[in-house]
Amino acid sequence: MITSFDGINLYSKDPAALAAFYSEVLGVPIPFEGFGQYDGAKIGFDRSQPGLIIWDESKWGKHTTGVVNLVFSCSSLDETYEQLKGKGLDCQPPVTMEYGGKEMNFRDPDGNGITLLEGGYLEV
């Protein structure tokens, strides 16, 4: 039976650039740098916790079977928005949603959707 959730596989033409986006622009740690050239790199807050696993699509193929949207939480979405704009990210300001939390949506360099939350889905 299933015992845990390990993460989400993302396939990229440039795994090093995608890893740099998540670590340098969004500030998400890289607890495992992969097996060379960031192939198999894990992006997340702890190597033993679920995370994003980046693979080199030129080696493994592009195994996307549907739309991917990654969701991260933050304590102050307005501050995060200003920080990301300062790093050159082209994104719209956060909006307050029907459920009461704030969201901000944008895409990573490979086109995967990203949602940042303040006051996440389960907190309302």
Side-chain angles (χ1 to χ4, degrees):
M1 294 300 298
I2 295 171
T3 59
S4 67
F5 175 68
D6 280 349
I8 296 171
N9 288 327
L10 296 178
Y11 295 85
S12 177
K13 291 179 182 174
D14 191 346
L18 194 59
F21 172 79
Y22 282 97
S23 67
E24 295 169 16
V25 176
L26 298 186
V28 181
I30 303 176
F32 178 65
E33 293 186 4
F35 304 100
Q37 304 299 315
Y38 290 91
D39 185 32
K42 186 169 191 175
I43 311 298
F45 296 92
D46 186 304
R47 188 173 176 163
S48 64
Q49 298 288 321
L52 306 175
I53 303 130
I54 298 174
W55 299 99
D56 184 344
E57 76 175 57
S58 65
K59 180 178 180 182
W60 303 105
K62 188 166 182 109
H63 298 278
T64 302
T65 57
V67 177
V68 174
N69 189 73
L70 310 169
V71 181
F72 297 93
S73 295
C74 57
S75 58
S76 173
L77 197 46
D78 293 324
E79 287 178 23
T80 301
Y81 168 69
E82 293 300 328
Q83 292 169 351
L84 293 175
K85 272 184 36 182
K87 292 181 177 183
L89 184 67
D90 182 20
C91 57
Q92 297 297 312
V95 296
T96 301
M97 304 304 289
E98 290 179 19
Y99 64 86
K102 281 186 172 180
E103 286 188 13
M104 187 173 85
N105 295 284
F106 53 94
R107 296 198 175 275
D108 72 15
D110 282 358
N112 299 301
I114 297 175
T115 299
L116 298 184
L117 294 177
E118 178 185 334
Y121 306 126
L122 302 176
E123 296 175 22
V124 179

